[in-house]
Amino acid sequence: MGAGLITAFISMLLTGYGLSITRDRINHGYRLPKIMPKDVFLFGIKGSIVYAIYITFQIFILNYIASLFGFPLFNLEEMLLKFDQTLHLFFIHNPVHSIIFFVLSAIVFYVSNFFGEIGLARLADTKSLFSAFNFKAIYRSIELFGWRHYARDLTSIVVAIVILTFIQNNLPEFFGIDLLLWMLLGVLIFATQYLGIGAVYCNIKDNEKRLNAENNL
């Protein structure tokens, strides 16, 4: 119980610092910001709440789809990392069901992440928990930016994290250097996630400012 609480607390602090990174990137920063304990703690609490709500919704829907077709819970990153096992699952199932399952699950994964990532970015930008669930504003932001552009940017973040995670999980043992590389890759994965969210929302805000300026001419 104690170890679980410590792990949860560390995870909360990491989320808090991650959102500090996102906020700095939204403001066109390119370096990891200084650790501000108050911001890290407050962001950690709010960010954990946002994560929990979006992930719970996503898992609920994905679990329902998976149960309909007899598949395990859909996780895009894990399916890409364990591609051989993914192919095996598809081969032992009805091919039509496999395609329907993958398409429906991918749609749910992307739509929930579309809103979830922007929700976290809005939290980092405004420090308001409620802004992370302003679905009308989130939808408008994505629409102005372009769904295709956003899907491309989000996919590039997922692919980068998958590649880094694959390398991290398959490092050969080499006199302790592998441990240092593992830790370095962990930092890169962490930074990629939160810098990526910030970069995407930075582009969205810049695009909104440009459109507003053009409309005011």
Side-chain angles (χ1 to χ4, degrees), residues 47-93:
S48 297
I49 293 172
V50 173
Y51 262 124
I53 292 175
Y54 276 103
I55 290 297
T56 298
F57 170 78
Q58 184 187 90
I59 291 177
F60 178 80
I61 301 297
L62 291 178
N63 190 54
Y64 175 74
I65 295 173
S67 65
L68 285 178
F69 297 100
F71 278 90
L73 183 63
F74 178 91
N75 184 307
L76 182 60
E77 293 177 11
E78 188 173 345
M79 290 178 75
L80 292 175
L81 284 170
K82 301 178 180 178
F83 192 66
D84 55 336
Q85 297 179 26
T86 301
L87 284 179
H88 176 69
L89 277 175
F90 285 157
F91 280 128
I92 64 176
H93 282 77

Side-chain angles (χ1 to χ4, degrees), residues 167-168 170-182:
I167 295 172
Q168 185 188 47
N170 292 277
L171 286 173
E173 294 185 10
F174 191 72
F175 302 108
I177 297 177
D178 54 302
L179 178 59
L180 294 175
L181 290 174
W182 187 91

Side-chain angles (χ1 to χ4, degrees), residues 129-142:
L129 183 63
F130 296 106
S131 69
F133 301 104
N134 188 337
F135 301 117
K136 183 177 180 180
I138 293 173
Y139 181 88
R140 180 178 177 275
S141 293
I142 299 174

Side-chain angles (χ1 to χ4, degrees), residues 105-116:
S105 298
I107 290 173
V108 172
F109 176 83
Y110 266 95
V111 169
S112 58
N113 277 344
F114 274 5
F115 282 81

